[in-house]
Amino acid sequence: MKDAQFGELPFLKFDQGVVTCVYSPDGTSFTIALSDGNINVYSTSNWEVTWILRGHSRGVTSVSYSPNGDRIVSGSYDSTVRVWDVAAGDCLYIFIGHTREVYSVMYSPHGNLVASRHDDGTIRLWDLESGDYRSIISGFGSISDMAFSPTGDAIALSCGDCRVRLWDVASKGCRNILIGHTGGVSTIAYSAQGDLLISVDYRVVRVWEAETGTCRSIMKRDQQTVLSPKGNQVALYRMWSEEIELLDTETGAYIRKLGHSSILSVAYSPQGDQIVSGGRDKEVRVWDVETGECRQTMTGHTSYVNKVLYSPKGDYIASTSDNNTVRLWSVGSGSSRKISNHHSGGVMNLKYSPARSQVASCSMDSTIRLWDAVTGICSLALTGHSGCVNQVLYSPQEDQLASCSDDRTVRLWDVENGACLHILTGHNDIVNYVAFSPQGDQIASASWDMTVRLWNVGTGECQHILIGHSNGARIVTYSAQGNQVASSSVDGSVRLWDLESGDCQHTFTGHSNEIQRIVYSPNGSQIASASHDKTVRLWDVKTGVCTHIFIGHQSSVTRVVYSPRGHQVASAGYYDRTVRLWDIESGECHHTLVGHQQYIYAIAYSPGGDLIASYSDKGEARLWDIATGECIWNLDHDGWTPSTRNVLSHPFVWMSSDDESFFTGDGVGSVRRWDVVKEGDQYRVHMRWSSTNGQLTVEDACVQDVQGLNELNRRLLKQRGATGEPSVPLREAGKKVMTMTSVVSNLKSSSLNTEALNLPLTSPAISFTSHSEQLSKR
């Protein structure tokens, strides 16, 4: 195990709050400021504490390295600024002059000055040769941010009087005043070359030419702004939002969006080709700036990730969490660049292709993934959407995929190579649903913009815009004959549309609340609708008459499906956690299926029609016998993490009738296949395969006598629950050495008793960063 790479380093845990952390310019040192006033300095070669710098009497607010990395400056709530020697751990200077808290400190690019800022509008410049302050900058109201120019001859100040001031360090006067903001300027930053300056108020982001003071572009503001190292791009995001928006600083033009739920921190890599984000979902994600693809998802934090940053070379990431933890991650250029076997956001929808023996999944992470139904291998990751992908659908010929997204577009994909064939634009709000016509030559889409659009698959042109709903259109579906489209809306109505003329043929009204789902009967003569008004209604397609109203649910009915023979309708009550089976002739409820502990949001008949599956919004699955109404199997899935989208669309799909298997998706991005085996009168369900996020699982693994574990890997394994200590140092190892095989044999399986690690036992370099369990081979 001498060269083992786990993609993760041991984490650092503290009793006090972690205020901030920073790498030295050369990356050999790492400093963490704590709320008790102490500053911990680590060597990044072994992540051992080099110094604990004590002296501040109150919490540290800011730390910064000198340009050559030999000194650290710190500011504190105790109103002082301290300069520390990194090599000796000594305090070289204590700068006293501020009358209240020091909120930020920074070195000048030449390292001869330190700037310290207080929110009262005072900035002090300290001379590191004499130890005295050189000048005091004040008189401009509150100053919320400051930045040295790369040459060090100027300091940019973001002022509360809606202006940006450039302060000349040598002359101690204002060099230029940039006017244009209409609100207090909160954030300011220079580009790496120093030719551009970015300033932010509560409404807009402005890009200025630093030399002339000319405003080059104005962009909308999303509260938080991060400038790329080259200065050609800016990342905007709202705290706790679900997306990062990238804009061109030259033109202000939109580039793309990156999806990450509940964002709290964003940073560019030093090269500018990647972005790292951390958020409330406790994950750290690495994004490719060029493609928008999520390259790496790192899990392990047990609380919100509130700060992320790259090392100077871009090969490591540090992340801090609300529970006083700092985690350190390796940014791989090899395995992490391969297709991830895991969505980095909740699975929204699944579809199965019998002809290809393939499953398509779409996710909140803006991607679509294609899985081999037999092996569970992810063959393609389709990227291009800039928002949550709400639905994915195979064409009748199964050679194309259609997808719809929060980004207001519909995309058409080639299943064979993953190429995007068409981007269908025109909707001006989220697109909720898409449907292929039975012939596969047309796509219908439903949007929150209250319209349904019909698209030509060959050309990508919009053929009709169906207008009539008075609120968002939720669902759209074709009749079996393909001559009609039905749509449902939040306005409580169902509308039938003629495909040739685009005219509305019927409007079904009667529901007293929004409609969640509609579905045609197998023969196309009926439509069933499920509503928040707790009822299910059956409608005659020809006459528009409501033939049955099924009453019994005690809460919103969120799903309705016909049995394969069309003699029965199943409905799911979200809050009452029941599934009801209705006879379409008599209207009687044959069975009420009770047992779910979580809210139900997906139901599906097995292809043979003798079973029905129900799936909760938190991964709890159950199988029911249609004849008896008995639950024959259940899974209380624990792989869920909270999300701002607390309801998944339909993360469940059956395989074809000759193979009793089904697939599930969950809120952390996993896709699983389950096989249903009937043995006499009994059913048995087992998991065939599962995608995973690649998290290292070594709880109770025995590492006693393992050869070659370096200190970092030993600490990581111990933190993850491994037992024993390597007793033979590598340099003293004899012939009797414990092998990786013996370690793997001691690895404890996951909570499902199925997720042991897949390790290439003959390889000297072991990567734990991602894997997919091939349970069918075991």
Side-chain angles (χ1 to χ4, degrees):
M1 290 184 67
K2 179 176 181 294
D3 298 314
Q5 297 296 321
F6 296 114
E8 178 183 350
L9 297 172
F11 62 82
L12 310 174
K13 179 69 175 177
F14 303 94
D15 295 329
Q16 301 80 30
V18 177
V19 178
T20 189
C21 56
V22 62
Y23 277 95
S24 64
D26 61 2
T28 61
S29 176
F30 185 78
T31 293
I32 299 173
L34 302 173
S35 60
D36 64 355
N38 290 339
I39 302 167
N40 288 16
V41 182
Y42 294 82
S43 168
T44 58
S45 62
N46 57 14
W47 289 99
E48 295 287 350
V49 177
T50 305
W51 301 108
I52 298 178
L53 309 180
R54 296 182 173 92
H56 285 295
S57 60
R58 296 181 64 190
V60 178
T61 58
S62 177
V63 290
S64 177
Y65 276 91
S66 62
N68 61 10
D70 64 342
R71 293 182 180 184
I72 294 171
V73 62
S74 59
S76 168
Y77 285 112
D78 66 8
S79 306
T80 69
V81 176
R82 289 175 178 256
V83 178
W84 310 84
D85 186 288
V86 173
D90 296 331
C91 181
L92 302 178
Y93 296 107
I94 303 175
F95 295 144
I96 300 173
H98 286 288
T99 58
R100 296 177 61 186
E101 301 91 339
V102 177
Y103 283 122
S104 65
V105 292
M106 65 173 58
Y107 268 93
S108 67
H110 300 301
N112 61 324
L113 294 176
V114 162
S116 58
R117 177 185 64 85
H118 174 58
D119 225 18
D120 64 359
T122 300
I123 291 177
R124 289 177 178 258
L125 298 183
W126 307 91
D127 191 305
L128 292 180
E129 292 185 2
S130 65
D132 296 328
Y133 72 87
R134 176 179 292 188
S135 59
I136 300 176
I137 304 171
S138 62
F140 308 128
S142 63
I143 299 176
S144 56
D145 199 11
M146 61 181 180
F148 273 104
S149 66
T151 57
D153 61 337
I155 299 178
L157 312 174
S158 58
C159 303
D161 63 357
C162 310
R163 300 182 179 188
V164 176
R165 288 176 169 81
L166 304 185
W167 183 266
D168 191 286
V169 173
S171 67
K172 303 179 183 180
C174 192
R175 177 187 295 180
N176 205 347
I177 302 176
L178 311 183
I179 300 174
H181 284 287
T182 58
V185 183
S186 59
T187 306
I188 198 161
Y190 276 96
S191 63
Q193 294 77 17
D195 57 334
L196 296 179
L197 189 67
I198 305 294
S199 58
V200 184
D201 68 24
Y202 71 97
R203 290 180 178 174
V204 300
V205 176
R206 287 179 175 262
V207 181
W208 309 85
E209 292 182 1
E211 184 67 28
T212 64
T214 303
C215 184
R216 178 178 291 186
S217 61
I218 303 174
M219 298 169 281
K220 69 175 184 179
R221 188 225 178 183
D222 278 21
Q223 293 186 353
Q224 303 295 324
T225 307
V226 183
L227 182 66
S228 67
K230 296 179 181 178
N232 63 326
Q233 191 180 89
V234 65
L236 307 178
Y237 66 99
R238 294 186 181 95
M239 295 289 282
W240 303 68
S241 68
E242 296 186 1
E243 62 186 23
I244 304 161
E245 190 171 16
L246 306 184
L247 301 179
D248 187 287
T249 53
E250 181 72 27
T251 63
Y254 163 84
I255 300 174
R256 66 178 48 83
K257 291 181 181 179
L258 313 175
H260 188 167
S261 61
S262 301
I263 302 165
L264 295 176
S265 180
V266 170
Y268 276 93
S269 65
Q271 298 77 20
D273 60 336
Q274 292 180 348
I275 282 178
V276 61
S277 60
R280 194 183 178 191
D281 61 1
K282 309 172 189 176
E283 294 182 349
V284 176
R285 299 184 189 179
V286 178
W287 305 89
D288 188 292
V289 170
E290 184 67 28
T291 66
E293 183 179 355
C294 181
R295 292 293 191 180
Q296 203 167 348
T297 300
M298 294 166 283
T299 60
H301 279 293
T302 58
S303 189
Y304 303 163
V305 180
N306 50 35
K307 182 179 177 63
V308 290
L309 71 155
Y310 277 92
S311 64
K313 295 181 180 178
D315 51 348
Y316 289 97
I317 288 171
S319 56
T320 69
S321 179
D322 273 359
N323 62 353
N324 307 334
T325 302
V326 177
R327 286 187 177 265
L328 309 160
W329 314 89
S330 173
V331 182
S333 58
S335 60
S336 64
R337 291 283 180 177
K338 297 178 182 177
I339 295 175
S340 170
N341 229 10
H342 190 74
H343 282 295
S344 59
V347 179
M348 294 297 294
N349 194 241
L350 296 170
K351 288 295 185 295
Y352 174 66
S353 166
R356 294 179 172 272
S357 187
Q358 186 181 78
V359 178
S361 61
C362 63
S363 169
M364 292 171 63
D365 67 5
S366 308
T367 70
I368 300 158
R369 295 182 184 273
L370 306 183
W371 312 83
D372 186 291
V374 177
T375 65
I377 294 173
C378 179
S379 57
L380 282 175
L382 312 183
T383 61
H385 280 297
S386 59
C388 171
V389 184
N390 297 313
Q391 198 201 15
V392 65
L393 186 68
Y394 283 96
S395 66
Q397 296 79 21
E398 301 182 27
D399 59 339
Q400 294 180 349
L401 276 172
S403 61
C404 63
S405 170
D406 281 6
D407 66 9
R408 307 180 181 184
T409 70
V410 175
R411 286 180 178 249
L412 193 64
W413 311 85
D414 186 297
V415 177
E416 189 67 34
N417 56 28
C420 183
L421 303 175
H422 293 295
I423 303 175
L424 312 181
T425 60
H427 285 294
N428 54 33
D429 209 330
I430 290 170
V431 185
N432 294 309
Y433 212 83
V434 289
F436 269 104
S437 65
Q439 297 77 26
D441 59 345
Q442 191 178 74
I443 291 173
S445 57
S447 169
W448 285 132
D449 66 8
M450 301 186 289
T451 70
V452 172
R453 288 178 177 253
L454 306 181
W455 310 87
N456 184 291
V457 169
T459 65
E461 295 179 356
C462 181
Q463 297 173 311
H464 286 294
I465 304 175
L466 311 182
I467 300 174
H469 286 296
S470 60
N471 209 323
R474 186 184 291 276
I475 304 294
V476 63
T477 181
Y478 282 87
S479 64
Q481 296 75 25
N483 62 336
Q484 191 180 69
V485 160
S487 62
S488 67
S489 169
V490 178
D491 65 14
S493 71
V494 178
R495 288 178 175 260
L496 302 188
W497 308 86
D498 181 82
L499 295 186
E500 289 295 326
S501 64
D503 294 334
C504 180
Q505 297 174 320
H506 289 294
T507 301
F508 302 159
T509 59
H511 284 296
S512 60
N513 208 324
E514 66 180 86
I515 297 173
Q516 283 285 300
R517 274 295 183 272
I518 56 171
V519 60
Y520 275 97
S521 61
N523 62 13
S525 63
Q526 279 184 341
I527 285 177
S529 58
S531 170
H532 275 326
D533 66 8
K534 307 178 186 179
T535 70
V536 174
R537 290 177 178 251
L538 301 187
W539 309 85
D540 186 285
V541 170
K542 289 185 178 180
T543 66
V545 174
C546 178
T547 59
H548 285 294
I549 303 176
F550 298 150
I551 300 174
H553 284 290
Q554 303 302 306
S555 68
S556 300
V557 185
T558 52
R559 288 294 184 272
V560 61
V561 291
Y562 277 92
S563 64
R565 291 192 290 123
H567 71 296
Q568 191 178 72
V569 162
S571 59
Y574 184 63
Y575 293 108
D576 70 12
R577 304 170 189 175
T578 67
V579 177
R580 290 176 178 259
L581 308 182
W582 309 88
D583 187 285
I584 68 166
E585 294 296 332
S586 66
E588 294 180 359
C589 180
H590 285 170
H591 293 294
T592 300
L593 313 182
V594 180
H596 271 283
Q597 302 300 310
Q598 306 294 337
Y599 304 143
I600 302 172
Y601 214 77
I603 53 174
Y605 281 94
S606 64
D610 53 345
L611 300 175
I612 191 167
S614 53
Y615 197 74
S616 83
D617 65 346
K618 293 188 178 179
E620 177 194 10
R622 288 178 180 263
L623 283 184
W624 311 85
D625 188 295
I626 292 297
T628 65
E630 294 180 357
C631 179
I632 62 172
W633 173 81
N634 70 85
L635 169 68
D636 295 327
H637 183 50
D638 61 356
W640 174 265
T641 55
S643 167
T644 52
R645 285 181 182 268
N646 61 355
V647 172
L648 295 183
S649 176
H650 198 307
F652 187 103
V653 65
W654 285 91
M655 288 181 70
S656 56
S657 57
D658 59 349
D659 194 352
E660 293 284 9
S661 300
F662 61 90
F663 301 90
T664 61
D666 66 19
V668 295
S670 293
V671 176
R672 292 179 169 90
R673 171 179 167 172
W674 308 83
D675 290 343
V676 183
V677 180
K678 188 173 184 180
E679 299 173 343
D681 295 332
Q682 303 295 317
Y683 289 90
R684 182 170 56 87
V685 180
H686 67 274
M687 188 171 70
R688 172 70 67 87
W689 55 258
S690 171
S691 69
T692 74
N693 61 10
Q695 181 174 326
L696 179 62
T697 305
V698 293
E699 186 176 358
D700 289 347
C702 180
V703 295
Q704 189 74 30
D705 297 331
V706 173
Q707 177 190 3
L709 271 178
N710 63 33
E711 178 60 21
L712 285 180
N713 286 337
R714 185 196 69 80
R715 288 167 56 195
L716 174 60
L717 292 173
K718 293 290 288 184
Q719 285 179 347
R720 284 302 183 97
T723 62
E725 292 288 345
S727 61
V728 183
L730 181 63
R731 62 181 180 273
E732 300 174 2
K735 294 182 178 180
K736 185 178 180 180
V737 177
M738 178 163 280
T739 65
M740 274 298 296
T741 306
S742 59
V743 175
V744 174
S745 67
N746 287 289
L747 291 179
K748 182 181 178 182
S749 62
S750 71
S751 59
L752 292 174
N753 295 320
T754 54
E755 296 185 348
L757 297 175
N758 279 340
L759 303 181
L761 301 180
T762 59
S763 171
I766 309 298
S767 174
F768 289 77
T769 54
S770 101
H771 67 278
S772 175
E773 297 93 355
Q774 304 301 316
L775 301 179
S776 60
K777 298 180 180 180
R778 301 186 178 186

